[in-house]
Amino acid sequence: MRSIVNILGAAVLLLRSVYALDNGVGRLPVLGYNTWNAYQCNIDEDLLLSTASLLKSLGLQDAGYNQLNIDDCYAEKNRSAGGDIIADAVRFKGGMKSLTDQIHALGFKTGIYSDSGWYTCAGYPGSYQNELRDLKTFSDWGFDYLKYDNCAIPYDEITREGIVGRYQRMADAVVQVQQSTKNNPILLSLCEWGWSQVWLWGKQFGQSWRTTGDIAPEWNSLANIINFNSFLTQATDFYGRNDLDMLQLGNGNLTFDESKSHFTAWALMKSPLLIGTNLSEITNETLSILKNNEILAINQDPTVGASISPFRWGINPDWTSNSSFPAQYWSGPTQDGTVFMLLNTLDKPSTLFFNLTESPWIRAGRQYSVRDLWTHTENGTAVRNFTAYDVPAHGVVALLLKDVGDEPDGIYPQCSVWWQCTDKNGTRVGG
């Protein structure tokens, strides 16, 4: 009997993957807005509609931010007599279906929140043992996306399974509802915090998965998240990716340079980009970061779904990791060339130098045009190496390098990494 259950479960997961591949749903990272970090439980339908209007009027929808998500606290504290989740009758007096219809009419997709335990993290009804019922409710309400959290876990003697099993229950519900409605499947975003190595199994169930605890609007939190995820970049690709948590631009104590680093790292690591800022207070500086179309284009690259990865891991002499000072030198392929992120993790300005072929995506013996993705300028040609001078404390440089042909003749030594090279007669080259 157990083997039959396993086979059926595998078939359900395969079916869900097939639906995703057929229609492209969930192929690229989500760009949008989430209510939690700015408002927590202080939400209602008026706030959601005003936020949608601001996303449009501020030009964020045109930049690609087309997802508007309600987080925790939208429900009544108790289910209905029939066992259904009920939207708060005061704060969502028009009903969720009316709200999602209005949001959709403005050109947005919209998301909702629940939990794999008895209760949500704020103490509202969770979905454990009600997965199919709740997913049908969310679908009937018109939602396109579900953030699925990990609080209030039932006792082991009740679940008799680990966290994978609890998320499997909701993933199966997604497939069953999709089959019955014939609509696109609701995207499932796992808010699991990484305690059970979710990056190893999350792609079976969700479009994204949280890898760390909650973000805080300060540099130490950003550095910790960047450092942790620098070891997990291979888990991200089309249809599934590490989620570094919401964007905190304009919140807390982040400087302008730290905000640029925050956005660059999240975007180039192909994390979902969900704004967590009060849009009514957003500054033009923050908007200029969020609407950097060259950075966003790499996050939304239709050809390459993989994250950038480090080619040096820290500030120690042998480039080994130091969690307070994450990797500074990153690169990855794009449809238009090789992207580099140079991240100054020090508390003072720093000059960052590297040999081009330290990146596995660069060919030896070639020269590369250099595009600065923040100044939006062409910065000459790089041959063998590149130097970024005076990068601000906690600042970033983002570059797109394109192959423009063979490097000039007569460069000595014959190799940029000269101590690795040997003439065909066996003698060392350069020195």
Side-chain angles (χ1 to χ4, degrees):
M1 182 62 180
R2 184 65 178 170
S3 61
I4 294 174
V5 171
N6 288 340
I7 291 170
L8 289 174
V12 167
L13 290 177
L14 178 60
L15 183 60
R16 182 168 185 270
S17 297
V18 168
Y19 280 124
L21 292 171
D22 280 348
N23 58 29
V25 173
R27 186 171 186 269
L28 297 174
V30 166
L31 274 65
Y33 189 91
N34 184 285
T35 59
W36 182 255
N37 283 27
Y39 301 105
Q40 298 194 356
C41 288
N42 299 313
I43 57 173
D44 58 28
E45 60 187 40
D46 292 336
L47 173 69
L48 268 294
L49 292 172
S50 65
T51 299
S53 295
L54 282 168
L55 286 166
K56 289 180 74 74
S57 65
L58 293 170
L60 289 165
Q61 184 184 53
D62 288 342
Y65 296 89
N66 62 1
Q67 181 81 39
L68 179 53
N69 293 342
I70 304 171
D71 211 283
D72 207 345
C73 311
Y74 61 86
E76 298 282 359
K77 282 295 184 84
N78 296 304
R79 292 176 176 268
S80 72
D84 295 327
I85 287 179
I86 310 170
D88 187 295
V90 175
R91 290 182 289 135
F92 295 92
K93 55 185 179 294
M96 285 298 190
K97 185 62 170 70
S98 174
L99 177 61
T100 62
D101 284 348
Q102 292 177 76
I103 292 172
H104 287 148
L106 291 169
F108 295 96
K109 298 177 181 178
T110 188
I112 194 69
Y113 169 95
S114 192
D115 192 280
S116 62
W118 296 124
Y119 302 97
T120 68
C121 296
Y124 293 81
S127 290
Y128 185 71
Q129 294 185 344
N130 285 286
E131 290 86 0
L132 183 57
R133 174 192 297 275
D134 291 352
L135 212 283
K136 286 180 177 176
T137 296
F138 302 147
S139 178
D140 291 343
W141 283 350
F143 287 101
D144 311 289
Y145 173 109
L146 173 63
K147 175 182 173 182
Y148 204 47
D149 219 330
N150 189 38
C151 288
I153 300 168
Y155 294 151
D156 292 354
E157 65 187 28
I158 295 173
T159 64
R160 303 292 183 189
E161 61 189 356
I163 191 168
V164 174
R166 288 190 293 109
Y167 278 93
Q168 170 87 62
R169 297 165 69 102
M170 185 54 83
D172 291 349
V174 169
V175 176
Q176 292 178 60
V177 170
Q178 195 282 330
Q179 289 177 309
S180 65
T181 64
K182 305 305 179 184
N183 296 329
N184 287 336
I186 289 178
L187 289 185
L188 185 57
S189 177
L190 313 183
C191 187
E192 192 278 329
W193 323 321
W195 291 352
S196 65
Q197 296 181 310
V198 63
W199 52 91
L200 297 177
W201 54 267
K203 196 170 186 177
Q204 298 178 77
F205 307 133
Q207 185 262 355
S208 60
W209 46 84
R210 279 276 299 281
T211 53
T212 64
D214 291 348
I215 192 171
E218 58 186 24
W219 176 253
N220 287 342
S221 176
L222 302 184
N224 177 68
I225 292 171
I226 293 168
N227 178 69
F228 190 86
N229 281 274
S230 71
F231 301 97
L232 313 176
T233 58
Q234 72 280 0
T236 284
D237 211 330
F238 293 131
Y239 296 107
R241 52 200 51 88
N242 296 325
D243 179 355
L244 280 61
D245 204 4
M246 284 169 270
L247 293 171
Q248 291 297 285
L249 312 181
N251 288 345
N253 299 313
L254 295 179
T255 68
F256 180 63
D257 287 308
E258 289 169 344
S259 293
K260 287 172 59 179
S261 296
H262 176 17
F263 181 75
T264 304
W266 266 235
L268 300 188
M269 293 173 80
K270 304 295 178 74
S271 175
L273 300 179
L274 291 171
I275 301 166
T277 302
N278 182 336
L279 292 182
S280 66
E281 300 175 356
I282 199 166
T283 66
N284 288 331
E285 276 192 339
T286 298
L287 277 176
S288 72
I289 296 173
L290 290 169
K291 293 197 287 187
N292 184 325
N293 63 320
E294 295 191 69
I295 298 288
L296 288 171
I298 296 173
N299 180 264
Q300 298 290 297
D301 191 324
T303 302
V304 180
S307 165
I308 59 170
S309 297
F311 55 88
R312 297 182 192 168
W313 246 272
I315 63 170
N316 295 329
D318 55 356
W319 310 119
T320 52
S321 171
N322 179 324
S323 60
S324 298
F325 300 94
Q328 296 192 105
Y329 298 85
W330 304 63
S331 69
T334 78
Q335 65 177 347
D336 294 319
T338 301
V339 63
F340 285 81
M341 180 175 75
L342 309 180
L343 188 66
N344 179 16
T345 62
L346 302 179
D347 299 329
K348 59 184 179 180
S350 180
T351 293
L352 302 178
F353 167 89
F354 64 97
N355 285 319
L356 299 187
T357 55
E358 290 183 73
S359 165
W361 313 110
I362 291 293
R363 295 170 59 191
R366 307 286 286 182
Q367 56 186 324
Y368 289 81
S369 65
V370 180
R371 173 76 175 178
D372 189 309
L373 302 181
W374 278 110
T375 63
H376 308 293
T377 56
E378 300 294 339
N379 288 12
T381 302
V383 179
R384 295 199 172 184
N385 56 60
F386 185 86
T387 303
Y389 296 96
D390 299 321
V391 181
H394 305 163
V396 71
V397 174
L399 307 170
L400 184 66
L401 271 62
K402 295 184 181 182
D403 190 320
V404 291
D406 290 340
E407 67 179 26
D409 294 333
I411 297 180
Y412 184 84
Q414 289 90 334
C415 298
S416 59
V417 188
W418 57 267
W419 57 90
Q420 293 180 341
C421 283
T422 304
D423 190 273
K424 62 183 179 181
N425 65 13
T427 60
R428 287 293 182 93
V429 172

